[in-house]
Amino acid sequence: HGKGVAWAGRALSVPVRVHVPRSVDQAKLTGIKRLGAEVVVSPVDGYDETEGIAEADARACGLPFISAYEDDAIRAGNGGTLVLELLDQLPDFAAVATPLSGGGLAAGMAVALDARRPGVELWACQHEDSASLAVSLARGEAATSLPPIKTLAGGLEGGIGALNFAMLAERVSGVATVSEQALKRAVVWALDAHQLLIEPSGAAALAAILEGKLPRSPGALVVVLTGRNLALRTLRGILSELTTP
């Protein structure tokens, strides 16, 4: 999201300020800066608290705040357009598995699927220690804030948007949660089997499949991979941990 907004700002010659938690992956941080945005590194690790700081900053400066997930344009631009592309490329798919944290991507997908292919299953895949949708479904209300966790998958951390939860509660086919180690294994598998670099948070749906957390699909299953923001040092650490004899 930060890189996308930074890119749009550069394309439109609009100044952009992006707030990130201090635990942000260095590849993501460098990418945002290269696109010309002003970056404010939060004094905290959690995305939820960092978002609160960003909202307060926007109010104080009289600037519009663009949520990474609780925004109609973000939902349409992320999940909505993704579904339209899928329908062009693979019109007969039966299910989609996607990473989920704040829920904007999945909510946008849900709206587009209901409009074009209402029978397609939609599976949400989350970090087991920050499973915002799973927690929300159990509570019967949106878990809009969750405690920060120690993880390489920062994009999976934090609560879900209240409206996103309302849009997903009756539409999602189920939630699969995966461990930190499963995310790392998925990163290594994608690189080894397909020479494809994925950041841990973007590999949640792949991890769910590799770990047997999803039921067999009645037809083609689309696996959504979201992001390649992975610093070389972090990748080396994962490879060293999981591939050293």
Side-chain angles (χ1 to χ4, degrees), residues 20-26 41-42 44-47 149 151 154 157:
V20 297
R22 65 184 175 191
S23 57
V24 64
D25 186 88
Q26 288 303 304
V41 179
S42 169
V44 298
D45 290 329
Y47 272 82
I149 63 173
T151 179
E157 184 189 31

Side-chain angles (χ1 to χ4, degrees), residues 131-216:
S132 58
L133 180 55
V135 171
S136 299
L137 290 170
R139 291 180 181 176
E141 61 180 10
T144 56
S145 181
L146 292 176
I149 63 173
K150 185 176 178 60
T151 179
L152 297 179
L156 294 177
E157 184 189 31
I160 191 170
L163 185 53
N164 290 335
F165 173 63
M167 297 168 72
L168 289 166
E170 299 300 327
R171 178 59 179 86
V172 73
S173 302
V175 181
T177 61
V178 294
S179 67
E180 184 82 3
Q181 289 302 110
L183 292 168
K184 294 179 184 178
R185 286 193 291 269
V187 169
V188 173
W189 185 90
L191 192 59
D192 182 49
H194 296 284
Q195 295 72 56
L196 183 63
L197 178 65
I198 316 168
E199 63 186 88
S201 59
L206 177 59
I209 291 174
L210 294 175
E211 298 295 311
K213 293 294 188 76
L214 295 177
R216 182 175 294 276

Side-chain angles (χ1 to χ4, degrees), residues 71-103:
D71 182 283
D72 284 340
I74 297 298
R75 295 183 189 98
N78 284 347
T81 57
L82 190 154
V83 167
L84 295 180
E85 291 178 18
L86 287 177
L87 291 171
D88 284 340
Q89 297 175 28
L90 185 67
D92 295 327
F93 63 94
V96 182
T98 181
L100 186 145
S101 55

Side-chain angles (χ1 to χ4, degrees), residues 4 14 22 35 49 72 79 136 216 218 226 235:
V14 175
R22 65 184 175 191
L35 288 166
E49 193 171 351
D72 284 340
S136 299
R216 182 175 294 276
T226 55
L235 177 59

Side-chain angles (χ1 to χ4, degrees), residues 14-35:
V14 175
V16 169
R17 180 181 300 162
V18 179
H19 286 253
V20 297
R22 65 184 175 191
S23 57
V24 64
D25 186 88
Q26 288 303 304
K28 185 178 295 184
L29 180 61
T30 300
I32 295 172
K33 288 181 176 179
R34 283 177 178 168
L35 288 166

